[in-house]
Amino acid sequence: MANLKTKRDFPLDRIRNIGIIAHIDAGKTTTTERILFYTGRTYKIGDIDEGTTVTDWMEQERERGITIVSAAVTTFWTPKSGPFENQETRLNLIDTPGHVDFTAEVERSLRVLDGAVIVLDASSGVQSQTETVWRQANKYSVPLLAFANKMDVVGADYMATIKSARDRLGANAVAYNLPIGRENDFVGVVDLLTRKAFKWEGDGVNFTEVEIPVEMSSAVEAAREKLVEEIAGNDDELMEKYLGGEELEVNDLKKALRKAVIANKIVPVFTGSSLRNKGVQPVLDAIVEYLPSPQDIASVKGINPAGEEELRKSDPKEPLAALAFKIQVDPHVGKLTYIRVYSGTLKSGSYVYNATKQVSERIGRLLLMHANDREEIDEAFAGEIVAAVGLKDTITGDTLAEESKPLVLENISFPDPVISLAIEPKTKSDQEKLGLALNRLAEEDPTFRVKVDAETNQTIISGMGELQLEVLVDRMRREFKVEANVGQPQVAYKETITKEAQGEGKYIRQTGGRGQYGHCFLRIEPLARGTGREFASEIVGGAIPREFIPPIEKGVIEKEDTGILAGYPLTDIRVVVYDGSYHEVDSSEIAFKIAGSLGLSEAAKKADMILLEPIMKVEVTTPDEFMGDIIGDLSSKRAQILGSEKRGNYTIINALVPLAEMHGYATAIRSMSQGRATYYMEADHYEPVPNNITQKIIETSGFTGRVEH
Ligand code: GDP
């Protein structure tokens, strides 16, 4: 292998930070793996079905055949066409998980990427999760190329796939190349702009230029016309020439297409079959040619300590601004913090300032992660993605900066967990390790939460789905050697209030010696669904000294976390402290904290509390003959059927269903359809629980709300 160190000094315009995103099973892992193979960093073509895929390096990922944790991998590619023809370019590839329980992983990788390839399954078109990843990519304005994979599969239909991307995603998806043959006879692609055709022999990786098959020529011209029209439509100068009937230069078209892709105006679609080694290399060339380099990205925005917005350019000479986007415990080097450097230079062995936490941290070593080895480096420049060893306090979402020029970049937002379960150590020695293991895992995964139930003293873990929790418990056993009993998964309800109310919190103990004195009046107001919590003080004139306001807030938050109605956390509530009193000698932080907590309890009891439950977006794909049974069953589950859609001999049913009704659905759907229907679900939003059900939940929760102070 060539000395990698000499390759590090890359001009920014030859770096691409990209991700591969997809619906589960569309072929993301296979495609990623082929990319790593063609770019020369793996030695043999592994096959996901045999469990040897390079990105799936974690043990249980292999067993499950799904990618759970994004691994940032650096690799090199020399395009055969385009502006960097025959020059080496560097690809930083972030693998994103395909399963919806790991949505947070997708979100956080999209946040640090400059562009992505969305893999579609040409035999089934846009699927439900494709919509989700598409929405996420849009949220961060990530420029996209689409890869219609599985052209070799029976039923593959390239044009229908493009149409479904246009119809279902509203994407301006346009064919960039056309397949030569389909299903078993799929052998190559025709590049529309250059009118060049390429053919792969057998399942080999090499391809050669061939003549465009005669019978395709009119289809090629029609598709080319459509592509040219779209490109010209996004470029005034080209449009003028186009309307004037002039022939447009290929290079001009390519340049305009690059601009349109970066501006999210066009999604060029490529076709191929990763498994059969066809059509992937043109996508690699296109990644370099059409997806942005760090230089093309607008300056990153952050907030300085004065509360003002500040911009930092993607330039190694600017002050440092870098985002920690992933913590991973590596079996060999310990805790790795993946970092995207936006501006400035990160040096190994140096101190950096965690501007989010306001602490100084030492970077021990800096590593470039390759698919199957890691390379120690001295510096990481603006635009790069690297892993650091040695950071102690930095967690996902924190900004690293220079102490003299601190800046906080926008944090990554994560959804609230919808499902939880109780976990109990098997032995006393497990007890000690349990807390440690759970905290470590929570550090890695921001959607995974751990808490100890104040009433039962049970440890409760929560997350986005059963699979996520299962995997985490599994990792706890393997990596931390903790044996634990795990309870049934429970729905993560939330509590909220429906009207404004007031409450008095009084904690006064004056029995000889120094007493306790905390006293406050709180007003609580319902907030719009999904807003979360707010706290404010309207104390004027010193009814409560200023230093006792934060303790009141602490007491309020503690109570909000514990719950009041049935032991679930409160949400969508604003708490205002508006009056109170204090005692010169007896007042203390702890007394005001308790008063805050008591005040909230009292107010909430007058505010008509209700429970909220997570509602899941469910998509069932079933052979037509089982449709009636499946819809009937969904209806008995309080489902709101949104609609159904026919695709071949299958029907796709879309519905919103309370998570509480979905327990055991995998088994149920199997027996209803002789194992032929499949489903997919993800958390959508929270809604009030119907009254009769609320009563049952409160009764079975056994929650008393009485935690002694
Ligand atoms: P992911 O869930 O998106 O990562 O998808 P995988 O890469 O794991 O692929 C899912 C399944 O589809 C595996 O069994 C692959 O072997 C298979 N597969 C992937 N790409 C192709 C393809 O181009 N053609 C065919 N026939 N199968 C494919």
Side-chain angles (χ1 to χ4, degrees):
M1 196 183 298
N3 179 3
L4 295 172
K5 289 212 172 186
T6 59
K7 295 186 176 176
R8 291 222 44 257
D9 246 344
F10 259 81
L12 277 180
D13 61 349
R14 277 198 264 151
I15 294 180
R16 298 290 177 275
N17 294 312
I18 60 145
I20 312 279
I21 57 180
H23 185 100
I24 190 156
D25 268 356
K28 190 195 68 216
T29 311
T30 313
T31 307
T32 305
E33 209 237 356
R34 291 312 189 253
I35 289 178
L36 292 175
F37 180 76
Y38 303 145
T39 56
R41 287 279 172 258
T42 48
Y43 301 106
K44 78 177 195 33
I45 293 198
D47 191 325
I48 175 99
D49 295 329
E50 289 162 16
T52 55
T53 315
V54 283
T55 42
D56 285 10
W57 55 275
M58 289 174 64
E59 211 177 329
Q60 77 271 47
E61 279 186 75
R62 286 186 191 176
E63 281 174 17
R64 286 165 201 270
I66 51 171
T67 311
I68 297 161
V69 185
S70 17
V73 175
T74 297
T75 189
F76 300 88
W77 174 246
T78 306
K80 301 284 176 302
S81 67
F84 297 108
E85 190 174 341
N86 296 327
Q87 295 180 56
E88 195 163 55
T89 58
R90 182 165 141 195
L91 307 181
N92 294 316
L93 210 67
I94 306 278
D95 188 22
T96 55
H99 195 279
V100 58
D101 279 8
F102 309 104
T103 289
E105 296 279 345
V106 182
E107 288 248 345
R108 80 169 117 202
S109 21
L110 287 174
R111 170 79 159 70
V112 298
L113 290 174
D114 299 328
V117 177
I118 185 161
V119 180
L120 305 172
D121 181 337
S123 64
S124 50
V126 165
Q127 293 152 296
S128 171
Q129 199 193 350
T130 323
E131 288 181 340
T132 306
V133 291
W134 170 263
R135 257 205 325 273
Q136 288 167 331
N138 264 352
K139 180 166 148 196
Y140 296 110
S141 309
V142 176
L144 296 174
L145 307 180
F147 180 57
N149 187 34
K150 301 202 184 183
M151 248 340 267
D152 61 309
V153 168
V154 174
D157 189 336
Y158 182 53
M159 286 306 177
T161 301
I162 295 179
K163 185 172 182 311
S164 85
R166 296 184 73 91
D167 294 348
R168 280 192 69 180
L169 305 176
N172 190 14
V174 202
Y176 185 88
N177 59 21
L178 286 188
I180 304 178
R182 64 197 279 184
E183 302 177 351
N184 248 335
D185 299 324
F186 171 63
V187 290
V189 299
V190 178
D191 185 291
L192 295 172
L193 289 182
T194 58
R195 295 189 177 90
K196 284 184 180 171
F198 303 98
K199 193 174 165 188
W200 282 257
E201 288 307 330
D203 281 351
V205 300
N206 297 322
F207 59 101
T208 46
E209 196 178 333
V210 294
E211 292 288 317
I212 296 177
V214 193
E215 69 279 10
M216 278 184 77
S217 60
S218 65
V220 167
E221 287 315 308
R224 188 179 196 276
E225 188 62 21
K226 170 92 184 94
L227 176 63
V228 168
E229 204 174 284
E230 283 294 346
I231 299 173
N234 279 288
D235 186 292
D236 292 346
E237 215 173 295
L238 288 183
M239 195 62 201
E240 216 167 287
K241 285 190 186 164
Y242 180 77
L243 291 175
E246 264 182 70
E247 177 73 13
L248 302 177
E249 293 279 337
V250 171
N251 273 341
D252 292 343
L253 285 165
K254 288 185 156 200
K255 274 189 203 135
L257 178 57
R258 176 177 176 78
K259 271 196 209 138
V261 170
I262 292 174
N264 290 103
K265 295 266 173 45
I266 295 182
V267 178
V269 189
F270 298 76
T271 188
S273 161
S274 295
L275 190 69
R276 307 262 170 250
N277 284 313
K278 292 180 180 64
V280 178
Q281 293 96 334
V283 179
L284 281 165
D285 281 1
I287 287 171
V288 178
E289 184 153 21
Y290 299 115
L291 289 180
S293 79
Q295 226 170 15
D296 297 311
I297 302 298
S299 306
V300 66
K301 235 188 272 169
I303 305 287
N304 67 20
E308 301 151 353
E309 227 172 58
E310 221 177 274
L311 292 177
R312 293 278 162 87
K313 280 209 295 282
S314 189
D315 179 343
K317 292 188 195 71
E318 286 259 310
L320 177 70
L323 185 77
F325 67 94
K326 166 110 201 129
I327 309 276
Q328 204 169 54
V329 180
D330 182 278
H332 303 288
V333 288
K335 188 165 128 185
L336 283 178
T337 310
Y338 283 84
I339 298 170
R340 156 91 200 229
V341 186
Y342 284 94
S343 70
T345 304
L346 201 60
K347 294 192 174 77
S348 70
S350 74
Y351 280 88
V352 289
Y353 184 65
N354 179 329
T356 313
K357 294 237 159 49
Q358 305 181 356
V359 290
S360 221
E361 284 246 65
R362 186 166 179 277
I363 303 254
R365 295 190 286 151
L366 284 178
L367 301 173
L368 261 196
M369 306 298 284
H370 300 285
N372 51 2
D373 59 6
R374 54 201 91 226
E375 174 194 357
E376 192 148 348
I377 57 176
D378 301 328
E379 290 178 313
F381 306 109
E384 295 196 317
I385 287 177
V386 293
V389 185
L391 292 173
K392 291 200 178 67
D393 297 322
T394 300
I395 60 164
T396 298
D398 285 359
T399 304
L400 301 178
E402 266 161 45
E403 189 150 14
S404 58
K405 295 223 171 57
L407 186 79
V408 177
L409 301 173
E410 192 195 334
N411 205 332
I412 304 173
S413 60
F414 296 109
D416 283 338
V418 293
I419 197 158
S420 62
L421 47 84
I423 182 161
E424 218 171 68
K426 280 199 176 145
T427 67
K428 190 129 184 51
S429 85
D430 287 326
Q431 170 109 47
E432 282 153 24
K433 287 186 284 182
L434 181 77
L436 178 83
L438 290 177
N439 286 335
R440 266 287 184 79
L441 292 169
E443 216 173 54
E444 280 188 30
D445 181 351
T447 61
F448 174 61
R449 314 267 166 85
V450 184
K451 75 167 194 180
V452 176
D453 187 297
E455 286 225 320
T456 60
N457 235 348
Q458 257 179 337
T459 302
I460 310 284
I461 59 174
S462 37
M464 298 310 296
E466 284 186 42
L467 179 64
Q468 180 195 16
L469 295 183
E470 218 176 275
V471 167
L472 287 164
V473 171
D474 208 38
R475 287 189 57 192
M476 206 175 69
R477 235 187 30 238
R478 287 163 194 267
E479 292 171 31
F480 299 90
K481 311 279 180 263
V482 184
E483 290 297 327
N485 294 318
V486 177
Q488 281 294 322
Q490 305 287 331
V491 175
Y493 294 101
K494 289 183 187 185
E495 301 181 2
T496 194
I497 56 170
T498 55
K499 64 177 198 197
E500 193 177 308
Q502 297 178 343
E504 181 181 12
K506 206 188 226 173
Y507 186 69
I508 302 175
R509 297 281 182 277
Q510 281 161 326
T511 44
R514 194 183 152 180
Q516 292 287 358
Y517 192 107
H519 180 211
C520 64
F521 287 95
L522 303 180
R523 185 176 71 246
I524 59 176
E525 301 157 10
L527 293 178
R529 201 64 66 233
T531 317
R533 300 169 178 173
E534 287 175 16
F535 179 87
S537 164
E538 286 175 3
I539 298 286
V540 282
I544 302 173
R546 200 163 351 133
E547 69 263 32
F548 293 128
I549 303 297
I552 293 175
E553 181 176 6
K554 226 187 235 168
V556 164
I557 292 176
E558 229 166 66
K559 184 53 77 187
E560 285 174 335
D561 286 345
T562 318
I564 292 166
L565 192 60
Y568 297 104
L570 269 73
T571 188
D572 304 338
I573 177 173
R574 177 178 153 89
V575 179
V576 182
V577 47
Y578 65 93
D579 203 358
S581 65
Y582 74 106
H583 186 278
E584 283 293 349
V585 183
D586 291 347
S587 277
S588 66
E589 287 193 3
I590 183 81
F592 273 102
K593 189 176 139 206
I594 296 170
S597 197
L598 293 171
L600 175 60
S601 282
E602 197 191 292
K605 282 174 186 151
K606 294 185 265 178
D608 292 349
M609 295 195 72
I610 54 166
L611 285 183
L612 300 175
E613 63 180 341
I615 305 294
M616 311 302 283
K617 183 176 132 189
V618 177
E619 185 187 88
V620 180
T621 305
T622 173
D624 294 345
E625 65 231 70
F626 307 115
M627 186 170 125
D629 286 352
I630 286 175
I631 290 195
D633 177 66
L634 281 174
S635 304
S636 76
K637 294 185 179 327
R638 299 193 278 135
Q640 184 195 343
I641 308 282
L642 299 175
S644 62
E645 195 185 315
K646 257 191 89 62
R647 226 174 272 166
N649 294 329
Y650 281 79
T651 297
I652 293 168
I653 305 160
N654 281 297
L656 291 172
V657 194
L659 175 61
E661 305 286 342
M662 291 302 286
H663 188 63
Y665 195 61
T667 317
I669 198 170
R670 221 175 291 134
S671 66
M672 263 183 297
S673 67
Q674 297 158 13
R676 289 170 59 205
T678 55
Y679 79 107
Y680 157 92
M681 85 175 172
E682 71 179 71
D684 199 70
H685 64 281
Y686 272 81
E687 256 178 36
V689 177
N691 270 338
N692 54 335
I693 299 176
T694 303
Q695 277 319 314
K696 272 190 221 130
I697 296 170
I698 295 175
E699 279 157 29
T700 50
S701 77
F703 183 74
T704 64
R706 262 180 274 113
V707 178
E708 292 307 321
H709 290 288

